[in-house]
Amino acid sequence: MEKFILIVFLFLAQNNFAQELYMPRNIKEAYAKGTRSMDGKPGKNYWQNHGKYDIALTVNADTKIISGTETIVYTNNSSDTLKNLPIRFVNNLHKPSSPRSGDVSNDFLSDGLTITSLKIEGEVYKEDARSWGTVGNVKMKKPLPPHSKITINIDWHYPLSKESGREGQIDNTTFFAAYSYPRVTVFDDYNRWDRLPHTDRQEFYNDFNDYTYSVKAPKNYVVYGTGDLLNPDEVLQPEFAARLKKSYVTDEILHIANEQEMKSGAVTKQNEWNVWKFEAKHISDVCFGLSDHYLWDASSVVVDKKINRRASVQAAYDIKGTDFVNSIKNNQYALDWFSNNWPGIPYPFSKMTAFQGFADMEYPMMCNDSQMNDPVFAQLVQDHEVAHTYFPFYMGINETRYAFMDEGWATTFEYLIGIAEHGKEAADKFYKEFRVEGYINDVSTEEDQPIISMSSQLSGPGYGNNSYGKASLSYIALKDLLGDDLFKKSLHAYMDNWNGKHPIPWDYFNSMNTASGRNLNWFFNNWFFTNNYIDLSVKKVEKNIVAIENVGGFAIPFDVNVIYTDDSKETLHQTPAIWQNNQKTTSVTLKNKKQIKQITLDGGIFMDATPNNNIFLVR
């Protein structure tokens, strides 16, 4: 009987958890239809669509044109009949007519995508894509019924922009090709077709697909790409193929190709063109970079000690890219640390490549980082981009709408690994200066919009701080509230529920509630659905009771630092739980009955908007 009562209690609690939080109508509908569950797991009716992509790309190093022949087998796993086929091509951002979030130079602009052939189920469509923005639409001649598939054939080409951002020309013979193929945009259970344009601010939302792709490149160009290189012996000279294979099984840092070897043409097979073949399955995107002069380092690291699984670690960089000399060592450390500490889930992919570019941007199994001329900052940036492996690539986050679901976590992991690398004092200092100070000292409306606000509807400052600093602070505050063990258990439950799928914020809230066994909706309401900010004040001190007002409203952890009249000191840490019953005022009772000289509230990285009223002198 007791077991039955407990089950009923948990069921009611789980259902009440989500009902207490605001939900948009389309999200409510998803829960009502059973595609999502109030216990935080995918619902019994959950589905997501899938594409199998086979792409043959050619890079013309003279004209800077990338062309491709692409076959997509697209499966509609939904219960909807699809009459349209929206195609996303992010690089149309470079077209003069595309909306953008900021100014660009003429070197950023290009003609965008041209489709030279489009067939669906063998039927020819007269579409050249010249009128498309970052999302185009094809009205299908025959609708795609539920639980069926179609074959799409596309031939296309586009120019690499002269000015490199997230992708484009790095130098005259080095290119980074991201978002380089037309893809079916996401059709999901709560918003149907994702038609939001890419404007170069908020990032991406992709299905998990299977990819086989090849890159045809001129001789002496080495291609670095997402996924496993299938044919090293066909594109590399024997000595260099052997070096690469050795790097897969050793901790030793190997120089696969140095400057002189690249210059002499000794590295690749001396065909006019070499075709580099890659494969990656159940992944949200693929990209590649290539160069005829970049240095190439490689090694590997054990990322899953239970089965002794290794991941390849590679770096491609210019001779002047001094920050990248340490990329292999830093990424060996990062992959090991992330796998075994936070989030504490083995690195889920087979490779990570650091490629020198300009974006400071993450991609599946790759990061495109710039030369910082500061080894410490370069390591932090690389740590941040590698941390994105988990959010959004292991978890299929909708960054376009909810960027805080990935940038906030990457910022949190960046901070936590920074403590391990450089000590807490240095990590705290950087986090405050880089992630919090600009937000808390800016009193504009943009900074205090609820974190749950759609990322595509926020301004520059509001978008940046909602996505990175404020969201990260919420995760760190919850870690303080639950304690490391319960927080990790709950985080793992959320990640186990939703890796390889499409979680939304309410899935996170519900997963954490269920796994922790606590109703945390007061906390989630406080951090995600309000206009709160960080501002505490000491109101009075009487009879060893410290009265505190939460002016800003956020449920933050803080220390009460006490100096007694005998100059002895005491620190009492308060978790965010102190705000559960009353989020405006609270009090802390000091057990020590000695006479008090001074009280100071210290939030640490939770920087206060008005720190002057955090100090109380007892007279």
Side-chain angles (χ1 to χ4, degrees):
M1 185 66 181
E2 289 180 357
K3 184 176 181 181
F4 173 77
I5 292 171
L6 177 62
I7 291 171
V8 171
F9 169 77
L10 288 174
F11 174 80
L12 292 174
Q14 288 165 2
N15 280 272
N16 285 332
F17 285 158
Q19 291 168 3
E20 295 171 9
L21 296 174
Y22 161 76
M23 274 190 188
R25 286 172 287 168
N26 62 324
I27 305 299
K28 286 182 181 178
E29 184 182 2
Y31 280 92
K33 287 185 174 180
T35 55
R36 293 167 195 269
S37 172
M38 296 299 187
D39 63 2
K41 296 179 180 179
K44 62 180 181 180
N45 297 324
Y46 180 80
W47 55 266
Q48 62 193 47
N49 287 353
H50 180 266
K52 185 176 181 181
Y53 285 70
D54 191 345
I55 313 171
L57 303 108
T58 299
V59 180
N60 188 315
D62 296 324
T63 64
K64 312 300 190 285
I65 297 289
I66 292 184
S67 55
T69 296
E70 178 176 356
T71 298
I72 309 168
V73 178
Y74 181 74
T75 303
N76 176 19
N77 292 315
S78 78
S79 57
D80 291 56
T81 296
L82 306 181
K83 298 178 180 179
N84 293 289
L85 191 70
I87 302 291
R88 184 173 292 276
F89 188 71
V90 169
N91 280 343
N92 271 353
L93 176 75
H94 295 277
K95 292 176 69 171
S97 58
S98 289
R100 284 177 291 274
S101 59
D103 297 330
V104 298
S105 74
N106 287 335
D107 284 346
F108 185 85
L109 301 176
S110 75
D111 293 335
L113 177 71
T114 298
I115 290 178
T116 54
S117 175
L118 173 63
K119 296 178 183 178
I120 301 176
E121 287 294 284
E123 290 201 57
V124 175
Y125 284 69
K126 294 181 179 179
E127 177 61 71
D128 61 11
R130 301 302 293 162
S131 64
W132 289 4
T134 55
V135 183
N137 188 70
V138 178
K139 185 170 181 58
M140 290 188 286
K141 298 176 182 179
K142 295 179 182 177
L144 177 60
H147 311 294
S148 60
K149 61 182 66 175
I150 55 172
T151 299
I152 306 157
N153 299 102
I154 313 176
D155 294 349
W156 48 265
H157 61 78
Y158 78 97
L160 285 162
S161 61
K162 185 175 181 180
E163 180 184 297
S164 175
R166 288 187 169 103
E167 34 63 40
Q169 300 179 44
I170 308 300
D171 60 42
N172 196 46
T173 58
T174 303
F175 320 116
F176 195 83
Y179 329 114
S180 59
Y181 58 97
R183 64 187 306 148
V184 180
T185 194
V186 177
F187 184 80
D188 62 31
D189 65 306
Y190 64 93
N191 214 57
R192 301 303 185 258
W193 286 117
D194 176 39
R195 297 180 185 271
L196 285 178
H198 177 65
T199 64
D200 210 24
R201 177 177 290 148
Q202 68 276 3
E203 293 175 6
F204 309 103
Y205 181 35
N206 300 318
D207 275 323
F208 285 86
N209 300 312
D210 295 334
Y211 291 90
T212 301
Y213 71 100
S214 64
V215 180
K216 185 178 179 182
K219 69 178 178 182
N220 298 327
Y221 277 80
V222 173
V223 180
Y224 311 85
T226 299
D228 297 322
L229 177 61
L230 301 179
N231 63 334
D233 294 321
E234 294 177 12
V235 292
L236 294 170
Q237 298 283 7
E239 180 181 353
F240 299 91
R243 292 180 192 176
L244 179 62
K245 291 173 187 177
K246 180 182 177 183
S247 75
Y248 295 156
V249 295
T250 182
D251 293 333
E252 180 186 356
I253 299 174
L254 303 178
H255 302 294
I256 307 300
N258 62 31
E259 182 186 20
Q260 185 55 44
E261 289 167 335
M262 289 297 296
K263 281 182 177 179
S264 67
V267 178
T268 70
K269 290 290 181 72
Q270 292 300 288
N271 306 310
E272 282 304 306
W273 296 87
N274 289 309
V275 178
W276 301 67
K277 299 176 182 178
F278 297 88
E279 183 178 65
K281 293 186 176 180
H282 197 61
I283 200 163
S284 57
D285 202 0
V286 292
C287 66
F288 62 94
L290 65 160
S291 178
D292 67 353
H293 62 276
Y294 266 21
L295 282 64
W296 185 7
D297 296 343
S299 187
S300 63
V301 59
V302 174
V303 293
D304 190 339
K305 295 179 180 177
K306 290 183 179 179
I307 58 174
N308 208 34
R309 177 172 64 85
R310 285 182 172 270
S312 171
V313 181
Q314 301 184 34
Y317 57 98
D318 187 76
I319 188 66
K320 297 178 182 177
T322 53
D323 289 343
F324 291 82
V325 172
N326 295 317
S327 278
I328 299 296
K329 180 184 70 173
N330 291 343
N331 267 347
Q332 283 177 315
Y333 182 88
L335 266 60
D336 175 78
W337 197 92
F338 290 140
S339 297
N340 294 291
N341 294 277
W342 295 102
I345 289 176
Y347 179 77
F349 302 128
S350 61
K351 182 167 63 175
M352 171 52 68
T353 300
F355 190 93
Q356 183 181 348
F358 296 112
D360 304 327
M361 181 68 193
E362 72 280 359
Y363 312 82
M365 302 194 210
M366 296 191 78
C367 55
N368 170 359
D369 287 343
S370 50
Q371 168 72 13
M372 302 288 178
N373 295 315
D374 179 345
V376 173
F377 188 62
Q379 182 179 20
L380 179 135
V381 170
Q382 188 169 280
D383 286 346
H384 179 96
E385 310 314 343
V386 173
H388 273 300
T389 293
Y390 296 97
F391 299 87
F393 301 136
Y394 183 65
M395 312 284 285
I397 303 300
N398 185 341
E399 302 175 88
T400 310
R401 285 177 164 82
Y402 304 118
F404 65 85
M405 293 183 71
D406 82 300
E407 294 293 0
W409 282 111
T411 300
T412 299
F413 298 149
E414 157 208 305
Y415 168 66
L416 296 174
I417 195 174
I419 294 173
E421 290 166 344
H422 306 295
K424 191 171 187 304
E425 183 178 352
D428 283 3
K429 181 176 184 293
F430 179 86
Y431 187 92
K432 288 193 285 188
E433 290 177 353
F434 196 58
R435 300 300 189 188
V436 188
E437 199 170 76
Y439 146 64
I440 203 60
N441 292 327
D442 182 349
V443 298
S444 64
T445 303
E446 287 86 352
E447 301 296 10
D448 295 334
Q449 294 181 86
I451 296 175
I452 199 70
S453 302
M454 271 182 56
S455 304
S456 57
Q457 297 175 331
L458 293 169
S459 72
Y463 167 77
N465 288 307
N466 262 14
S467 304
Y468 292 77
K470 283 169 66 178
S472 174
L473 287 167
S474 83
Y475 302 139
I476 295 170
L478 187 57
K479 179 174 177 286
D480 190 274
L481 172 64
L482 296 178
D484 282 2
D485 290 344
L486 185 55
F487 180 74
K488 182 172 282 188
K489 174 193 170 187
S490 304
L491 175 60
H492 283 190
Y494 166 50
M495 296 178 75
D496 288 345
N497 288 341
W498 288 98
N499 76 80
K501 300 180 178 67
H502 292 311
I504 55 177
W506 292 266
D507 300 317
Y508 163 66
F509 304 144
N510 294 334
S511 288
M512 298 300 280
N513 279 335
T514 299
S516 68
R518 300 188 188 183
N519 188 337
L520 298 167
N521 280 359
W522 72 271
F523 179 89
F524 295 133
N525 265 317
N526 175 281
W527 270 97
F528 290 89
F529 296 89
T530 71
N531 300 93
N532 288 340
Y533 59 102
I534 305 170
D535 189 4
L536 303 183
S537 174
V538 183
K539 299 309 293 180
K540 62 180 180 179
V541 179
E542 290 183 352
K543 298 180 180 180
N544 290 65
I545 297 176
V546 183
I548 302 167
E549 182 179 1
N550 192 347
V551 180
F554 270 148
I556 68 164
F558 62 95
D559 289 340
V560 179
N561 294 321
V562 188
I563 301 177
Y564 296 100
T565 54
D566 64 359
D567 288 331
S568 61
K569 299 178 181 179
E570 185 178 13
T571 296
L572 292 87
H573 181 69
Q574 309 301 312
T575 79
I578 198 170
W579 304 110
Q580 181 168 355
N581 296 324
N582 186 336
Q583 293 170 30
K584 291 298 182 184
T585 61
T586 191
S587 61
V588 176
T589 301
L590 307 181
K591 294 180 180 179
N592 198 320
K593 300 300 181 183
K594 292 193 292 186
Q595 190 172 353
I596 299 167
K597 180 195 294 186
Q598 178 179 306
I599 297 289
T600 304
L601 305 181
D602 183 4
I605 60 174
F606 294 83
M607 296 180 68
D608 201 284
T610 58
N612 290 340
N613 59 20
N614 289 9
I615 301 175
F616 192 96
L617 298 173
V618 179
R619 304 185 187 282

